[in-house]
Structure formats: C-alpha cells, structure tokens
Amino acid sequence: MKIYGALEAGGTKMVCSIGNENCEVLERISIPTGYPEDSIPEIINYFRSREICALGIGSFGPLDLDRKSRTYGHITSTPKPGWENYPLLPMLAEALDVPAEMDTDVNAAALAEIKMGAARGLRSCLYVTVGTGVGGGVIAEGNLVHGLVHPELGHMLLRPAEGDPTPDGFCPYHKGCLEGLAAGPAIEKRWGVSAKDLPDDHIAWKVESEYLAQMCVNAIVAFSPEKIVLGGGVMHKMHLFPMIRKRTQELLGGYVRCSMITEKIDEYIVSPGLGDNSGVTGALLLALEAEKNAR
Ligand code: ZN
C-alpha cells in the first residue's frame, strides 16, 4: 500500500498525517509550531519514518504560489517569528525526496469539499473557516483560484453590525475587516467571554451572523459560487447557520434570483461534508496530485 503524507501547517500547530490513496487518514500527530529549526526536523523525521511516497501541504499564509517565482512555496509576510520568507515546500520536498504540492490551508479544504464533501459534483464553491482566524478558499470553473497571490477573504471590509460595541474590530492591519470582527478571538475580545461559553441567545451571535451574512453576500455577488461551506471552530455553533441564511437572503434583497438562494438556502450555505477533516483530506488530495504530476 502506498502511504501519502499530509501536513496542515498552522500558526499554533503543525498536524502531520498519513493516509492511503482513498484519502483515508491512518494516523495523525500534532507538533507545536515553534521556530522552524525546532518544528521542521520533527516533521521531517515523522514523514521519513512513515516512508511516504508524496507530500501535500495546506499552510497558513500568505504564501508564494506562483510556480514561476524563485520563491515558489515560501511562506511570505507572516508575523510568526522565524517563519517570514520560510521555504516550507522546497525544504520538505528536498529533505524527504518526494514529490510535493502546497496550497493555502483553506484552498486545500475547498478542494476536499468539492471532490469528496458538501460541494461534490459541482464546478465551483467557496470554503470559509471561522476559527482562530478567518480564511476562504475559492474554486471557480473547477479550478482553485490563486490569481495575483491568493484570495484573502478573511480581510474583506464589512460595514458595522447593529449592536456591535467594537465595530472597528481587532485586525492589526485593517479597521472593520471580517477576521478582525468575526474570528473566535474577536468574539472573545468584544464580549470578554470565550465564544464557546456564550449562550445561544446572546446578542453576540446576532452580531456574528450579521458579519458572516455580509461575507456570504459579498461572495455571492463577486464569485457566484454554487455552494458556500462554512467550517472552523466557531461554526460548531450550529444555531448560527439559520441566522446567517436568513440574513443573507435579507441583505440580498431578492436581487439574485436563483432558487438555491430564494428557496433552497438550507442546502446552499452548509457545514463541511467532511466535518473537521476537510483540511487533512485536502492535503492528502494535494499529495496524490503531486505523485501524479511527478510520473
Ligand atoms: Zn484584516
């Protein structure tokens, strides 16, 4: 049996998994994201000992994903100490001597959802994670969207929600961006209580669903995705879904006339079909692709 490696590179932990050609996860370990000189040798040792035949990486960004660039596969401008301009993809591919592919963590998750999850069979979808940060992966006409750099949906600018005591949000780069307003840490800073401890009827959720609905509206009018998949820790609060769907319809004001939005929105804005495994499955799909491209 061939063994494929999947690395989910995050700001707080590096999750290393192995899987088979059906993208079934066979084993998973988690390494804290320290300085690269501490984390990278551990990652290399793990995958080397598992004798993987290819590696897929879904990473936090921003990343250089321009294949013609000299710094292709590098992490670029992160504030994370030691990781700025770090050559993550070339470093691992060379040390492990296997074909490797890399994309953003959210693009990997979007890929998994369209191939094997909630958006299966479609040609376009948007995957957004709402957790420690907010990020979005876009698939249009069957392809992952990279464009100039790659989409940074988490930093789209929004208008203040009614009842929000901190409408400037908490992003160090922008006033009033989605991540600064709606990520888990923003909820905690705004209300002084961890998101998971806020009761379902707290006004926090009305504010949260307003921002996420604004994001859905912006995505619908900008990309016209056939499905919007919302994942991440904050979206474990399932009562947010009906609130976001209703508010999305209200904000669109009947302008986009498609039954998916006007009648079947319950099937349009949905949870990940792969649960919390979208990221790892996407990284395994990238590993499969790397192996295929190397043949
Ligand atoms: Zn921002």
Side-chain angles (χ1 to χ4, degrees), residues 231-251:
V234 172
M235 297 314 301
H236 288 170
K237 293 273 182 188
M238 294 304 287
H239 75 289
L240 274 172
F241 280 92
M243 298 169 81
I244 294 166
R245 290 174 186 135
K246 179 162 174 277
R247 192 63 188 138
T248 298
Q249 285 174 325
E250 285 169 5
L251 288 168

Side-chain angles (χ1 to χ4, degrees), residues 16 35-36 38 53 89 152 170 172 175 209 225 247 250 267-268:
C16 302
Y35 284 88
D38 300 322
C53 67
L89 174 69
E152 286 281 2
F170 303 94
K175 220 185 205 185
S209 58
R247 192 63 188 138
E250 285 169 5
E267 300 162 41
Y268 182 67

Side-chain angles (χ1 to χ4, degrees), residues 113 118 228-231 235 238 241 245 269-274:
E113 286 297 319
I228 297 178
V229 182
L230 302 180
M235 297 314 301
M238 294 304 287
F241 280 92
R245 290 174 186 135
I269 299 174
V270 298
S271 297
L274 297 162

Side-chain angles (χ1 to χ4, degrees), residues 5-10 14-15 17 40 43 47 52 54-60 63 65 72-75 83 86-94 96 98-109 111 144 146 279-288 290:
L7 171 63
E8 295 167 89
M14 296 278 174
V15 180
S17 311
I40 293 293
I43 294 169
F47 285 125
I52 59 168
L55 177 68
I57 306 169
S59 176
F60 71 94
L63 307 174
L65 295 172
Y72 172 66
H74 292 216
I75 292 170
W83 293 94
Y86 189 79
L88 185 62
L89 174 69
M91 175 68 85
L92 293 177
E94 200 170 305
L96 294 165
V98 293
E101 283 283 337
M102 174 160 95
D103 215 314
T104 60
D105 44 8
V106 278
N107 261 357
L111 181 69
L144 283 163
H146 297 108
V280 60
T281 307
L284 284 170
L285 285 165
L286 290 173
L288 262 69

Side-chain angles (χ1 to χ4, degrees), residues 125-141:
C125 78
L126 169 69
Y127 173 90
V128 177
T129 179
V130 189
T132 316
V134 179
V138 180
I139 293 181
E141 318 294 5

Side-chain angles (χ1 to χ4, degrees), residues 103-288:
D103 215 314
T104 60
D105 44 8
V106 278
N107 261 357
L111 181 69
E113 286 297 319
I114 206 159
K115 295 247 183 196
M116 303 175 71
R120 195 160 48 181
L122 301 177
R123 296 273 298 154
S124 61
C125 78
L126 169 69
Y127 173 90
V128 177
T129 179
V130 189
T132 316
V134 179
V138 180
I139 293 181
E141 318 294 5
N143 293 307
L144 283 163
V145 172
H146 297 108
L148 191 62
V149 184
H150 46 74
E152 286 281 2
L153 263 83
H155 297 274
M156 67 165 65
L157 304 181
L158 301 175
R159 61 188 187 203
E162 208 184 300
D164 181 357
T166 55
D168 286 348
F170 303 94
C171 174
Y173 296 91
H174 324 102
K175 220 185 205 185
C177 80
L178 173 60
E179 177 170 292
L181 291 167
I187 301 175
E188 181 162 350
K189 281 183 193 146
R190 179 183 294 121
W191 305 106
V193 185
S194 162
K196 63 178 188 317
D197 296 329
L198 284 165
D200 287 2
D201 58 359
H202 196 283
I203 190 186
W205 301 115
K206 189 165 174 277
V207 169
E208 182 72 7
S209 58
E210 169 70 25
Y211 290 133
L212 293 175
Q214 286 186 26
M215 179 275 292
C216 288
V217 168
N218 292 346
I220 290 165
V221 295
F223 312 120
S224 199
E226 290 166 285
K227 184 94 65 182
I228 297 178
V229 182
L230 302 180
V234 172
M235 297 314 301
H236 288 170
K237 293 273 182 188
M238 294 304 287
H239 75 289
L240 274 172
F241 280 92
M243 298 169 81
I244 294 166
R245 290 174 186 135
K246 179 162 174 277
R247 192 63 188 138
T248 298
Q249 285 174 325
E250 285 169 5
L251 288 168
L252 278 169
Y255 183 75
V256 178
R257 296 210 180 163
C258 172
S259 62
M260 276 317 288
I261 290 167
T262 54
E263 290 160 37
K264 292 186 268 187
I265 198 157
D266 290 359
E267 300 162 41
Y268 182 67
I269 299 174
V270 298
S271 297
L274 297 162
D276 291 329
N277 275 340
S278 315
V280 60
T281 307
L284 284 170
L285 285 165
L286 290 173
L288 262 69

